[in-house]
Amino acid sequence: MKNESQYGLLLLQQYLYEHTDDRHPVSVADILAFWQEHGIQAGRKSVYSAIEVLQSSGMDIVCVKST
């Protein structure tokens, strides 16, 4: 649903501003859990897509890939 993805983007933007900085990163699992708390069912690829949209709109997001 388009509205859900837009809502997810706004939630993610708010979450990143309020809970992260250079010393306090979050994982994809953290974001998925946050979305689930707000009624959004999504997968890992949705998180990566949302981050890409936020980055392309000018939000400074640093991604650290690890296993």
Side-chain angles (χ1 to χ4, degrees), residues 37-58:
E37 290 173 10
H38 289 84
I40 297 174
Q41 298 298 318
R44 298 179 72 77
K45 288 183 180 182
S46 296
V47 174
Y48 297 128
S49 295
I51 289 172
E52 193 174 300
V53 168
L54 292 175
Q55 286 174 322
S56 69
S57 68

Side-chain angles (χ1 to χ4, degrees), residues 5-9 11-12 14 18 20 22 24-27 29-30 40-41 46 49 51 55 62-63 65-66:
S5 65
Q6 291 172 344
Y7 180 58
L9 275 172
L11 279 176
L12 178 58
Q14 178 185 6
E18 292 177 358
T20 66
D22 291 342
H24 301 95
V26 294
S27 67
D30 294 332
I40 297 174
Q41 298 298 318
S46 296
S49 295
I51 289 172
Q55 286 174 322
V62 176
C63 294
K65 299 187 184 206
S66 65

Side-chain angles (χ1 to χ4, degrees), residues 23-37:
R23 287 179 249 141
H24 301 95
V26 294
S27 67
V28 172
D30 294 332
I31 294 168
L32 288 172
F34 176 73
W35 275 352
Q36 192 169 20
E37 290 173 10

